C-alpha cells in the first residue's frame, strides 16, 4: 500500500523524500511561500509556508518547505494558529514594503486585503524582501558572488568588492527573484546590475557580431569542454547530460 | 599503562598538589578571575609580592579563581599552617601592607576579615582539616571568628560544578588531581562507553545552556549516529547580558570542563573537542590553553590518554561576538567559517553537526557536572534536586541586590532563598521582580519569588533556566525593562528569518511608543499577536523566546503598562515625561541629597525646605532614588 499523509483532513500519497509543501502543491492545496523556489534547496527563512502539525512529528508550526512527508503525518494548512501567525508575518512584510506588488499578490492570495488599501497607493517600487533566493542561486549555480551583509534589520544582499569580477553573468539570481528588483540590463558590450554594481562583458559572435552570452560564461563552457574531451565518445544525449552536470557544479 | 603505573602517577601528582595546596608556613592567595581583576586584584597581587620582600616575610603567593563572592573582590585567602584559612574581602593595594605587618607581628589582622575556613571538604576527595595540619605556627587569632559555613552566602550553597573555584590554582593540574580530579576519567576509561552514557542518562542531568535537554539522551544520539569522526563541543559563548557563571567556572576550574569533555569524547566515540569561547573572555582563553597544554603533557589529553587506546584533542576557538552564535547551529556555522546564522533543524547536530559529522554540544556547566557524576555515581546526583530537575544550578546573581556573585544551589531551592538568604536581599528599594533566563526568559513578580528553581516550574511561569538571575528593585519600570530586553533582541537578531527580523523591530517600536506616552490600548493586543508569531514562527531559539520578557511583563505587571497608556504615567518614575516629582515636605529631613544628584539643577533650597522647579526638571528621576527616606515620589503630570 502506498504511504500517505493527511493534509487538511484529506489523505495524499507522497514520494520518498518529498516535502509537505510539494505534496500540497501537487494536489492544488495553497500554501503561501516566498523564500522557496523549486530550483533551489529549501531555506526556511520567510516562514510563510508554516503549517500546523497535529500528529506524526513535533506538534506545532513547521515550515512546510522543509518538513518531510512521512507516513502518519497529519497537518493543517489552515488552522487558527496558522492563520494568525501567517497574518502577522504578511502584515509585517506589508508594513516594511508597502508598495511591493508581488507581496500584495501573496497577501491577496491569503485573503489579507483589507489592510492593503489603508497602506498604499501605487506600487511601482521594487523592493528586496530578503528571501535569499538570489544568494542561494549564486551559491548553487553560480560562484557565490553575492551574499548577505549586516545583521538584523540592516540585513541586505550585496556583492563584496573583489568578488564582482567573479560574476559569470549567468543571471540565475535575476531569474529567481520574486520581485524583479534583481535586474541585469544590456549596455554596449556589457550587462550591468546596478543593485550590486556588477558589470560583465558580453562576448560577440565572430561571424555575425551579435552579443549572445557573457565572456566568463563562454570561458567556463570552454574549459569544461576541454576537460571533457572524453565526452566526444559519448552519444549526444549522454554528452549533453555530462556537460550539463559539469557546468552546473 | 598498567593500572599500577597509573595509580603511582596519580599518587605522585596528588602529593605534589597537596603540598602546594597546604604548604608549610603561610600561603597568600589572591582571587584572580575576571571579577577579581576588575576590582583591582592584579594590583593587589603585585603589591603582595612587593610587600613580602619589603617586609622580609616568608610566604607563598598564589592565585585562585572566583569563590562566587564577587561583591567582596578582591578576595584574599591567607592560609596559615595548622591554624586555618582566613578570607579577606576588598583588599586593595592600600590594605596589603597592614595585612602583612599584622602577620609579621604574629597576628591575624581583623580588618576586612570575612570568615575562617577550618576544614576543606572536597566533593571528590577526602576532607582536610586545616586546623590539625602539621605542627602549625603560633599566631594570634581574633576571638569570635565566623566560620565560612556560618556565612549565609555559603551556608545554603551546594558546590558541585563550582567545587574547585576559589580553592585551587586554576592551572595547577596537581592541585586539581589532589582534589579528586581525573579520578572520573580513570574510572571511565575502564568502563564500557555505553555504561557511561547510561550513567549520565540515569543521573537525570539536563543541559544547563537553556533548553534543558537530557544530556544522556544527547550523548546516546551522538554515539548512535553513523560516522567515524565525531565532535564534542563546549558551548562557552555565554552571551546573556549579566550572566557570567560559565566564565567563572572556566577561569576557576578549567580542568573540570576538560575532564568532562574527555569523558564525553570517549563515551561518544569522538576524537576532537572544541571549546567555543566568547571573544570577550581573553583570560579564560589563556587559562584554558595553559590547562590543555598541561593536561597533554601529563597524558590526560592528546594521543593515548593514560597510555590506553583512546586519543582526544581539545581546541579553543574564539566566538564571533554575536549572541546568536550561542545557538548550536549558528555556533557550528561560525566554527566552519561561515556566517554565524542558525539553520533549520532537523537535521540535529547530533546527526549532522560540525563539517556534517555527528556533534554533541553541551554547555560549560553541563560538562563540569560529568566528572562528579561518573566518580560518585548517578544515584548520588539523582538524590539532589526536584523530580524533573536533578543536581544543582549555578547562577550569577546581579542587579539590585546586596551581594552579587556566583552561587550554586540545589535545584528546588526557592528563588527567594537565593535573593534574600544567600545574596543578602534586594537593594534599599525592595524587591519588584526577578528576571530569569536572560533575553529569552521572563520576569517573576514578588508573589512568585518563592517558587523553587526547576526547569519545569520556571517554564510554567514564563521564565527559563539558561542565564543568570537579575534582581530588580521597586525603582525599576517594567515597560522600560521589557524595552531594554527587546532592544537587545533587535540588536542581536541575525535577520535571517522574517518573524525575528521584522517582528522584534515592531515590538520595540510599540514599546517605545508606550514608554514615551504615545501608546494606545490596542497596542497590547498587537503586542500579543506579534509575540505569538515570533514564538511559533521563528527559525531559532532567539526569535522563539525573544517575546518572553515582554509576555511575562504584560502578564504580571499589566497595570503598569495600562498606567503608561491610559494615564500617561510611569509609576516607577523612570520613563521620561510620564511623571513629575514631588517632595513630601512633611517627611523631608532636609538632607539635601536630591539637590546634589539633580541632573539639571532643578532643585533648590528655600526657607520652607527643598523645591523642585517643574520647568527645569528633565525627569531624570535621580532624586527619587537617592532620597534616603523616600520623601520624593513620582506623581502624574496633571496631579
Ligand atoms: C540565541 C541563543 C543563544 C544561546 N546561547 C547559549 C550560550 O551562550 N551558551 C550555551 O551553553 N547555550 C546557549 N544556547 C543554547 C544552545 O543552543 C544549546 O542548546 C546548548 O548549548 C546545549 O547545551 P546543553 O544541552 O548542555 O544545555 C543558546 C541558544 C539560543 C537560541
Ligand atoms: S517558503 Fe518555507 S520558509 Fe519560506
Amino acid at each position: 500500500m502506498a504511504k500517505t499523509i493527511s493534509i487538511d483532513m484529506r489523505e495524499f500519497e507522497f514520494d520518498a523524500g518529498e516535502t509537505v509543501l510539494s505534496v500540497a502543491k501537487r494536489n492544488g492545496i495553497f500554501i503561501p511561500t516566498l523564500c522557496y523556489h523549486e530550483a533551489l534547496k529549501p531555506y526556511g527563512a520567510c516562514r510563510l509556508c508554516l503549517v500546523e502539525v497535529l500528529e506524526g512529528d513535533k506538534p506545532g508550526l513547521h515550515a512546510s518547505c522543509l518538513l518531510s512527508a512521512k507516513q502518519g503525518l497529519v497537518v493543517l494548512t489552515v488552522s487558527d494558529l496558522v492563520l494568525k501567525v501567517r497574518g502577522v508575518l504578511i502584515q509585517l512584510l506589508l508594513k516594511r514594503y508597502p508598495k511591493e506588488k508581488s507581496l500584495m499578490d501573496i497577501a491577496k492570495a491569503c485573503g489579507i486585503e483589507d489592510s492593503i488599501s489603508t497602506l498604499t497607493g501605487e506600487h511601482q517600487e521594487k523592493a528586496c524582501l530578503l528571501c535569499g533566493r538570489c544568494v542561494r542561486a549564486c551559491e548553487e549555480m553560480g560562484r557565490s558572488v553575492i551574499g548577505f551583509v549586516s545583521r538584523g534589520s540592516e540585513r541586505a544582499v550585496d556583492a563584496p568588492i573583489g568578488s564582482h569580477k567573479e560574476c559569470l553573468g549567468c543571471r540565475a539570481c535575476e531569474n529567481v527573484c520574486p520581485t524583479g528588483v534583481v535586474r541585469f540590463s544590456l549596455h554596449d558590450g556589457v550587462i550591468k546590475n546596478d543593485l550590486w554594481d556588477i558589470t560583465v562583458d558580453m562576448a560577440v559572435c565572430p561571424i555575425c557580431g551579435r552579443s549572445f552570452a557573457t565572456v566568463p560564461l563562454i570561458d567556463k563552457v570552454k574549459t569544461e569542454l576541454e576537460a571533457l574531451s572524453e565526452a566526444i565518445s559519448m552519444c549526444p544525449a549522454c554528452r549533453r547530460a555530462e556537460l550539463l552536470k559539469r557546468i552546473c557544479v | 599503562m598498567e593500572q599500577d603505573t597509573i595509580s603511582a602517577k596519580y599518587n605522585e601528582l596528588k602529593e605534589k598538589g597537596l603540598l602546594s595546596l597546604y604548604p608549610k608556613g603561610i600561603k597568600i592567595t589572591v582571587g584572580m578571575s575576571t571579577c577579581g581583576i576588575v576590582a583591582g586584584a592584579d594590583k593587589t597581587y603585585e603589591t603582595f609580592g612587593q610587600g613580602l620582600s619589603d617586609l622580609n616575610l616568608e610566604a607563598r603567593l598564589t592565585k585562585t579563581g572566583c569563590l562566587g563572592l564577587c561583591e567582596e573582590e578582591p578576595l584574599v585567602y591567607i592560609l596559615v599552617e595548622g591554624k586555618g584559612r582566613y578570607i579577606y574581602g576588598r583588599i586593595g593595594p592600600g590594605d596589603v601592607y597592614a595585612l602583612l605587618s599584622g602577620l609579621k607581628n604574629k597576628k591575624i589582622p581583623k580588618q576586612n576579615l570575612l570568615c575562617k575556613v577550618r576544614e576543606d571538604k572536597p566533593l571528590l576527595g577526602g576532607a582536610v582539616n586545616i586546623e590539625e595540619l602539621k605542627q602549625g605556627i603560633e599566631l594570634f587569632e581574633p576571638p569570635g571568628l565566623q566560620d565560612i559555613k556560618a556565612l549565609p552566602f555559603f551556608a545554603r550553597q551546594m558546590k558541585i560544578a563550582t567545587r574547585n573555584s576559589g580553592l585551587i590554582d586554576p592551572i595547577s593540574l596537581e592541585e586539581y588531581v589532589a582534589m579528586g580530579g581525573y579520578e572520573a576519567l580513570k574510572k571511565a576509561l575502564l568502563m564500557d562507553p555505553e555504561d557511561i552514557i547510561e550513567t549520565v542518562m540515569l543521573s537525570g542531568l539536563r543541559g544547563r545552556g537553556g533548553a534543558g535537554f537530557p544530556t544522556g539522551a544527547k550523548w546516546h544520539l551522538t554515539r548512535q549516529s553513523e560516522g567515524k569522526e565525531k565532535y564534542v563541543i563546549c558551548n562557552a559563548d555565554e552571551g546573556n547580558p549579566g550572566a557570567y557563571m560559565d566564565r567563572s567556572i572556566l577561569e576557576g576550574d578549567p580542568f573540570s570542563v576538560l575532564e568532562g569533555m574527555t569523558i564525553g569524547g570517549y563515551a561518544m566515540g569522538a576524537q576532537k573537542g572544541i571549546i567555543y569561547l566568547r571573544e570577550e573572555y581573553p583570560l579564560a582563553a589563556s587559562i584554558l590553553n595553559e590547562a590543555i597544554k598541561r593536561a597533554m603533557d601529563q597524558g590526560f589529553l592528546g594521543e593515548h590518554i593514560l597510555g590506553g587506546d583512546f586519543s582526544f584533542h581539545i581546541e579553543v576557538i574564539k566566538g564571533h561576538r554575536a549572541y546568536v552564535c550561542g545557538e548550536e547551529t549558528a555556533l557550528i556555522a561560525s566554527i566552519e567559517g561561515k556566517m554565524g546564522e542558525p539553520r533549520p533543524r532537523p537535521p540535529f547536530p547530533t546527526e549532522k553537526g560540525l563539517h556534517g559529522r555527528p556533534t554533541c554540544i553541551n554547555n560549560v556547566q553541563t560538562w563540569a557536572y560529568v566528572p562528579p557524576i561518573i566518580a560518585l555515581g548517578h544515584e548520588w546526583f539523582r538524590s539532589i534536586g526536584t523530580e524533573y530537575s536533578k543536581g544543582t544550578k549555578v547562577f550569577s546573581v546581579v542587579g539590585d541586590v546586596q551581594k552579587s556573585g556566583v552561587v550554586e544551589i540545589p535545584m528546588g531551592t526557592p528563588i527567594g532563598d537565593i535573593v534574600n538568604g544567600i545574596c543578602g536581599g534586594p537593594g534599599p528599594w525592595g524587591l519588584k521582580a526577578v528576571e530569569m533566563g536572560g533575553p529569552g526568559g521572563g520576569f517573576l513578580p514578588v508573589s512568585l519569588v518563592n517558587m523553587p528553581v526547576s526547569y519545569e516550574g520556571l517554564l510554567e511561569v514564563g521564565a527559563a533556566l539558561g542565564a543568570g538571575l537579575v534582581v530588580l528593585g521597586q525603582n525599576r519600570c517594567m515597560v522600560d525593562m521589557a524595552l531594554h530586553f527587546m532592544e537587545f533582541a533587535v540588536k542581536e537578531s541575525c535577520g535571517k528569518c522574517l518573524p525575528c527580523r521584522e517582528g522584534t523591530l515592531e515590538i520595540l517600536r510599540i514599546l517605545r511608543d508606550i514608554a514615551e506616552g504615545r501608546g494606545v490600548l490596542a497596542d497590547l493586543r498587537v503586542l500579543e499577536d506579534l509575540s505569538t508569531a515570533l514564538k511559533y514562527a521563528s527559525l531559532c531559539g532567539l526569535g522563539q523566546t525573544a517575546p518572553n520578557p515582554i509576555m511575562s511583563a504584560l502578564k504580571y505587571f499589566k497595570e503598569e503598562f495600562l498606567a503608561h497608556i491610559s494615564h500617561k504615567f510611569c509609576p516607577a518614575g523612570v520613563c521620561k515625561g510620564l511623571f513629575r516629582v514631588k517632595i513630601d515636605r512633611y517627611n523631608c529631613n532636609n538632607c539635601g541629597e536630591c539637590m546634589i544628584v539633580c541632573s539639571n539643577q532643578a532643585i533648590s533650597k528655600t526657607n520652607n525646605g527643598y523645591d523642585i522647579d517643574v520647568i527645569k526638571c528633565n525627569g531624570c528621576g535621580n532624586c527619587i532614588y537617592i532620597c534616603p527616606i523616600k520623601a520624593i515620589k513620582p506623581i502624574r503630570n496633571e496631579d
Side-chain angles (χ1 to χ4, degrees):
Chain A
M1 209 182 81
K3 294 188 167 175
T4 58
I5 59 169
S6 156
I7 304 180
D8 295 339
M9 330 270 263
R10 289 193 291 160
E11 294 289 320
F12 298 101
E13 290 182 10
F14 62 89
D15 299 329
E18 217 179 352
T19 62
V20 170
L21 178 64
S22 148
V23 180
K25 279 191 157 208
R26 210 158 34 72
N27 290 287
I29 298 173
F30 171 73
I31 296 177
T33 58
L34 177 58
C35 66
Y36 173 80
H37 189 283
E38 46 285 334
L40 303 169
K41 288 191 195 130
Y43 187 53
C46 75
R47 318 303 283 176
L48 290 188
C49 69
L50 292 170
V51 294
E52 184 165 356
V53 169
L54 300 180
E55 275 169 44
D57 205 321
K58 199 171 144 212
L61 300 189
H62 290 247
S64 61
C65 65
L66 287 161
L67 184 62
S68 305
K70 52 180 174 264
Q71 178 64 35
L73 191 67
V74 180
V75 305
L76 296 177
T77 69
V78 276
S79 70
D80 287 347
L81 189 59
V82 170
L83 290 180
K84 179 169 182 172
V85 171
R86 188 192 283 170
V88 173
L89 296 183
I90 290 175
Q91 301 280 9
L92 280 170
L93 276 170
L94 283 171
K95 204 153 193 153
R96 177 96 168 195
Y97 315 102
K99 296 184 175 172
E100 178 47 57
K101 164 93 170 55
S102 63
L103 203 54
M104 282 180 200
D105 294 343
I106 296 178
K108 240 176 240 163
C110 296
I112 305 175
E113 283 191 78
D114 46 338
S115 62
I116 298 179
S117 52
T118 62
L119 273 170
T120 52
E122 306 120 69
H123 18 90
Q124 73 287 67
E125 270 175 41
K126 297 222 177 295
C128 169
L129 309 181
L130 299 172
C131 68
R133 286 192 201 172
C134 53
V135 174
R136 282 173 290 143
C138 194
E139 203 174 277
E140 291 172 29
M141 294 176 244
R143 283 187 172 162
S144 295
V145 173
I146 47 173
F148 284 107
V149 293
S150 298
R151 301 163 46 78
S153 52
E154 320 252 287
R155 190 177 174 91
V157 178
D158 205 353
I161 316 258
S163 67
H164 280 189
K165 44 185 188 307
E166 290 289 309
C167 178
L168 290 171
C170 73
R171 299 170 78 162
C173 49
E174 180 180 20
N175 201 294
V176 297
C177 177
T179 69
V181 69
V182 179
R183 240 188 340 211
F184 282 83
S185 50
L186 186 64
H187 297 261
D188 39 5
V190 296
I191 53 166
K192 260 186 151 167
N193 172 299
D194 294 331
L195 196 59
W196 304 316
D197 198 16
I198 288 176
T199 308
V200 188
D201 291 333
M202 290 298 285
V204 180
C205 169
I207 314 283
C208 69
R210 209 162 57 96
S211 288
F212 67 103
T214 65
V215 174
L217 258 185
I218 290 177
D219 285 350
K220 180 170 176 176
V221 174
K222 271 192 201 153
T223 9
E224 298 296 343
L225 266 182
E226 208 167 317
L228 255 181
S229 47
E230 83 270 25
I232 305 299
S233 54
M234 298 178 188
C235 80
C238 292
R239 192 188 309 143
R240 196 178 203 145
E242 182 65 25
L243 261 174
L244 214 70
K245 211 163 74 198
R246 297 271 178 120
I247 289 170
C248 287
V249 280
Chain B
M1 243 184 270
E2 292 291 318
Q3 283 309 307
D4 288 351
T5 337
I6 295 180
S7 293
K9 179 188 175 74
Y10 270 69
N11 285 338
E12 191 190 322
L13 286 169
K14 205 170 211 155
E15 216 162 287
K16 274 195 199 159
L18 282 172
L19 216 65
S20 75
L21 272 168
Y22 306 101
K24 290 200 166 306
I26 297 174
K27 173 168 124 172
I28 298 172
T29 308
V30 183
M32 296 280 275
S33 281
T34 298
C35 50
I37 290 177
V38 167
D42 42 355
K43 287 267 170 355
T44 302
Y45 185 83
E46 253 174 55
T47 317
F48 267 115
Q50 185 67 38
L52 285 175
S53 77
D54 280 359
L55 298 180
N56 204 8
L57 190 75
E58 209 160 309
R60 269 193 55 163
L61 181 59
T62 64
K63 300 176 181 179
T64 189
C66 162
L67 188 66
L69 202 53
C70 309
E71 192 77 30
E72 301 284 348
E73 295 280 5
L75 283 172
V76 169
Y77 311 76
I78 299 196
L79 177 77
V80 182
E81 187 188 356
K83 292 292 280 187
R85 185 189 294 112
Y86 303 90
I87 304 185
Y88 289 84
R90 302 182 196 242
I91 299 295
D95 306 310
V96 167
Y97 276 77
L99 236 171
L100 290 179
S101 352
L103 289 174
K104 181 110 186 151
N105 294 329
K106 305 257 174 247
K107 270 198 300 229
I108 300 289
K110 213 170 167 203
Q111 189 83 19
N112 293 21
L113 181 51
L114 297 174
C115 63
K116 173 178 178 177
V117 186
R118 295 183 166 84
E119 184 191 41
D120 283 336
K121 259 199 172 153
L123 181 67
L124 306 177
V128 179
N129 189 327
I130 308 174
E131 282 183 319
E132 284 172 6
L133 269 185
K134 299 163 202 146
Q135 59 278 76
I137 304 179
E138 262 327 298
L139 272 183
F140 174 75
E141 183 186 286
L145 253 184
Q146 238 186 351
D147 192 273
I148 186 165
K149 290 178 201 139
L151 281 192
F153 187 84
F154 295 105
R156 291 167 203 234
Q157 291 199 50
M158 181 191 265
K159 298 201 170 214
I160 298 176
T162 57
R163 57 194 177 276
N164 290 324
S165 286
L167 187 58
I168 65 171
D169 179 352
I171 50 174
S172 165
L173 181 66
E174 293 80 8
E175 292 188 8
Y176 180 70
V177 171
M179 287 287 134
Y182 278 120
E183 286 295 336
L185 178 67
K186 186 167 80 178
K187 181 171 171 186
L189 292 180
L190 297 174
M191 287 168 76
D192 186 79
E194 301 278 4
D195 292 340
I196 298 176
I197 294 180
E198 173 131 335
T199 304
V200 176
M201 213 175 292
L202 290 175
S203 75
L205 176 63
R206 292 171 65 178
R208 299 296 196 246
F213 193 82
T215 306
K218 200 186 270 185
W219 287 24
H220 174 72
L221 290 170
T222 311
R223 182 171 172 82
Q224 272 205 326
S225 289
E226 296 273 332
K228 268 209 153 107
E229 279 181 65
K230 293 180 186 174
Y231 295 98
V232 300
I233 295 179
C234 170
N235 188 343
D237 201 41
E238 201 166 46
N240 292 307
Y244 62 97
M245 55 276 173
D246 292 353
R247 183 191 76 199
S248 172
I249 293 174
L250 293 169
E251 290 177 350
D253 193 17
F255 289 109
S256 67
V257 175
L258 300 184
E259 186 182 359
M261 290 176 75
T262 312
I263 294 172
Y266 173 73
M268 288 177 263
Q271 302 76 25
K272 174 124 202 237
I274 291 172
I275 300 176
Y276 185 82
L277 182 68
R278 183 174 171 157
E279 211 230 20
E280 293 95 326
Y281 287 175
L283 180 62
S286 67
I287 287 179
L288 278 168
N289 281 319
E290 182 60 29
I292 290 172
K293 197 173 135 271
R294 294 186 181 196
M296 288 186 74
D297 286 348
Q298 294 289 347
F300 292 102
L301 205 56
E303 297 299 318
H304 300 288
I305 292 177
L306 294 181
D309 300 330
F310 175 58
S311 300
F312 187 70
H313 293 261
I314 296 181
E315 184 190 354
V316 179
I317 291 185
K318 262 202 237 165
H320 278 194
R321 270 183 184 265
Y323 173 59
V324 77
C325 285
E327 194 280 334
E328 52 186 26
T329 59
L331 185 152
I332 287 172
S334 151
I335 297 180
E336 289 171 344
K338 301 184 193 138
M339 231 176 168
E341 284 177 2
R343 63 155 175 81
R345 301 174 304 180
F348 288 90
T350 48
E351 190 190 326
K352 274 205 169 84
L354 185 57
H355 306 306
R357 299 181 183 129
T359 304
C360 174
I361 304 183
N362 280 127
N363 169 262
V364 173
Q365 297 159 60
T366 315
W367 288 118
Y369 283 112
V370 171
I373 289 175
I374 298 300
L376 302 177
H378 59 83
E379 271 161 20
W380 159 77
F381 196 76
R382 272 199 86 78
S383 69
I384 308 159
T386 69
E387 189 176 356
Y388 299 109
S389 306
K390 298 299 183 192
T392 55
K393 174 78 184 90
V394 188
F395 288 105
S396 49
V397 185
V398 297
D400 307 318
V401 65
Q402 303 282 350
K403 289 194 169 59
S404 60
V406 177
V407 304
E408 181 168 3
I409 42 94
M411 293 277 194
T413 303
I415 299 164
D417 276 11
I418 305 175
V419 177
N420 298 312
I422 297 176
C423 295
W429 287 88
L431 187 66
K432 179 164 193 175
V434 171
E435 207 280 343
M436 291 184 80
F443 302 100
L444 301 180
V446 175
S447 61
L448 285 176
V449 136
N450 277 325
M451 68 173 297
V453 169
S454 70
Y455 292 101
E456 60 276 17
L458 287 171
L459 195 69
E460 208 179 294
V461 297
L465 207 52
L469 198 156
V470 185
V471 182
L472 303 174
Q474 291 285 353
N475 49 334
R476 304 285 175 168
C477 163
M478 297 315 286
V479 175
D480 184 59
M481 290 311 304
L483 195 144
H484 278 306
F485 277 97
M486 208 33 82
E487 274 175 347
F488 181 85
V490 166
K491 194 171 120 263
E492 296 298 338
S493 168
C494 76
K496 177 170 176 176
C497 79
L498 162 70
C500 183
R501 181 180 70 236
E502 303 293 341
T504 51
L505 204 63
E506 187 64 11
I507 294 182
L508 179 63
R509 193 190 58 71
I510 296 175
L511 285 175
R512 284 221 172 100
D513 275 355
I514 297 176
E516 288 166 15
R518 295 183 303 271
V520 292
L521 275 177
D523 284 343
L524 296 184
R525 246 208 54 220
V526 179
L527 278 179
E528 279 189 31
D529 287 352
L530 284 165
S531 299
T532 308
L534 270 165
K535 175 174 168 187
Y536 288 104
S538 297
L539 176 59
C540 88
L542 196 160
Q544 288 159 8
T545 59
N548 289 353
I550 151 95
M551 285 284 80
S552 65
L554 264 178
K555 184 165 164 193
Y556 301 118
F557 299 93
K558 191 161 188 168
E559 59 303 345
E560 226 171 306
F561 282 77
L562 292 175
H564 282 72
I565 293 170
S566 307
H567 303 300
K568 309 294 171 209
F569 175 50
C570 174
V574 172
C575 298
K576 285 208 169 134
L578 297 197
F579 68 96
R580 179 159 88 73
V581 277
K582 187 168 179 217
I583 301 182
D584 175 359
R585 289 259 177 82
Y586 183 71
N587 282 318
C588 173
N589 63 0
N590 289 314
C591 71
E593 292 279 351
C594 51
M595 200 168 93
I596 300 168
V597 296
C598 178
S599 62
N600 207 28
Q601 277 109 43
I603 303 182
S604 53
K605 193 170 175 153
T606 67
N607 288 341
N608 305 331
Y610 287 87
D611 208 22
I612 298 178
D613 182 341
V614 208
I615 313 279
K616 263 183 142 183
C617 172
N618 62 5
C620 71
N622 287 352
C623 54
I624 306 175
Y625 296 105
I626 196 79
C627 179
I629 54 164
K630 303 188 192 181
I632 308 183
K633 292 208 166 61
I635 59 169
R636 282 166 50 170
N637 279 322
E638 59 267 37
D639 286 345

